[in-house]
Amino acid sequence: MTDFDGKTVLITGGGSGIGLATAKRLLAEGANVVLVGRSAERLDAAAKELDAGERVLTVAADVSRTADLDGVIAQVRARFGSLYGVFANAGVGLNARTADVTEEGFDEVVAINFKGTFFTVQKALSVLEDGGSVVLNASWLVHRGMGAGSVYAATKAAVLNLPRTLAPDLAERGIRVNAVTPGHIHTEMFDMVAPVEPVKEYFRSQVPVGAFGKPGDIADAVAFLLSSRAAYITGQELVVDGGLSGSVPA
Ligand SMILES: NC(=O)c1ccc[n+]([C@@H]2O[C@H](COP(=O)([O-])OP(=O)(O)OC[C@H]3O[C@@H](n4cnc5c(N)ncnc54)[C@H](OP(=O)(O)O)[C@@H]3O)[C@@H](O)[C@H]2O)c1
């Protein structure tokens, strides 16, 4: 018997990186998982890799579209009836100096990272069980500025602000809301920001522990925040960054 036996957790951006690692972790602890992403092919590959049969539901949807989220919730209700947890993790980067940010790029990142996170939680409320748990995915960039990160960092600052208001808002139903704040985690998104070894080395040199995090490092933190071991934690941020945002390397 584990904390997640028979419980269902919705993971947006569940087809790759941090979301997929979290799905693996929760499945190992007995959960059912619902994976959401735009690419059906990516989700199919993830479900194949997870190899957990009916315990995995994949739904191709864009979190920036509320109609898509309604469709996700309808499928959750039909397959599992309700949700115990939500990991609102889907996000995209925008690595551009301020002068190079386009209106289209701005709107896309805000729509996916902030609007998508907000409405993922709002739409899930109709199936979320009392006593459930929500985790949002922020970023170290909220705490440490980087010249090419203005819009992305601002969307993550908005995400990080949400637990403070959603926690008291949902407390009467016993629903906890927290955020996880990753540092440099080696995923597809990170490879887009740091595509070549000299750039990677620069980023690595900023991390006091001297290494990038693995998706599983974030999955462990998310599993903790979702679990009953975090029953008295709500409205908080858990930073998982090898020391990146709080200190400089020795
Ligand atoms: N890696 C890092 O260093 C790092 C650091 C701080 C924070 N984060 C955050 O961690 C989260 C996960 O990123 P990752 O590093 O695991 O990168 P990743 O592998 O690129 O994962 C991002 C996932 O989000 C999905 N996604 C993107 N836009 C979507 C949309 N509109 N609707 C539904 N799904 C969407 C993508 O799938 P589709 O493209 O198929 O939709 C993909 O599976 C992001 O929010 C990111 O900002 C990452």
Side-chain angles (χ1 to χ4, degrees):
M1 181 82 179
T2 75
D3 230 25
F4 296 102
D5 264 342
K7 293 179 175 172
T8 303
V9 178
L10 170 69
I11 304 173
T12 64
S16 63
I18 293 168
L20 179 56
T22 304
K24 248 177 229 167
R25 177 73 156 76
L26 296 176
L27 280 167
E29 294 204 31
N32 308 310
V33 294
V34 182
L35 310 183
V36 172
R38 292 167 300 183
S39 159
E41 293 72 32
R42 198 204 281 276
L43 292 173
D44 286 348
K48 206 167 167 195
E49 185 179 333
L50 293 169
D51 194 22
E54 293 294 301
R55 291 170 60 207
V56 178
L57 169 66
T58 60
V59 188
D62 182 337
V63 297
S64 69
R65 296 162 176 254
T66 56
D68 280 21
L69 290 169
D70 287 334
V72 171
I73 298 308
Q75 290 207 43
V76 168
R77 192 178 275 117
R79 168 76 77 88
F80 297 114
S82 65
L83 284 176
Y84 163 76
V86 175
F87 180 32
N89 160 73
V92 289
L94 181 61
N95 195 31
R97 300 295 287 266
T98 304
D100 300 324
V101 173
T102 62
E103 183 176 359
E104 191 186 22
F106 181 102
D107 287 346
E108 188 197 16
V109 178
V110 171
I112 295 174
N113 294 5
F114 180 43
K115 179 186 174 189
T117 298
F118 181 85
F119 282 104
T120 294
V121 179
Q122 191 216 54
K123 295 291 183 182
L125 289 179
S126 64
V127 288
L128 199 55
E129 297 157 15
D130 289 357
S133 179
V134 174
V135 178
L136 313 180
N137 198 341
S139 169
W140 66 276
L141 274 163
V142 174
H143 301 297
R144 214 172 155 186
M146 192 177 78
S150 57
V151 181
Y152 174 80
T155 63
K156 292 299 187 173
V159 168
L160 187 56
N161 186 261
L162 283 175
R164 292 187 191 161
T165 47
L166 299 188
D169 198 15
L170 303 181
E172 65 195 1
R173 291 183 52 195
I175 296 169
R176 298 178 297 104
V177 185
N178 293 291
V180 66
T181 293
H184 298 316
I185 309 301
H186 201 184
T187 65
E188 227 172 86
M189 180 184 284
F190 184 72
D191 278 337
M192 275 166 57
V193 177
V196 292
E197 195 47 43
V199 182
K200 280 194 169 66
E201 187 44 46
Y202 168 72
F203 278 113
R204 200 181 285 115
S205 72
Q206 301 290 307
V207 185
V209 303
F212 298 136
K214 298 182 289 302
D217 295 325
I218 306 304
D220 285 343
V222 175
F224 167 68
L225 288 172
L226 288 173
S227 78
S228 61
R229 286 168 293 147
Y232 201 56
I233 302 176
T234 193
Q236 296 300 314
E237 172 190 23
L238 178 49
V239 179
V240 185
D241 72 350
L244 173 67
S245 57
S247 40
V248 293

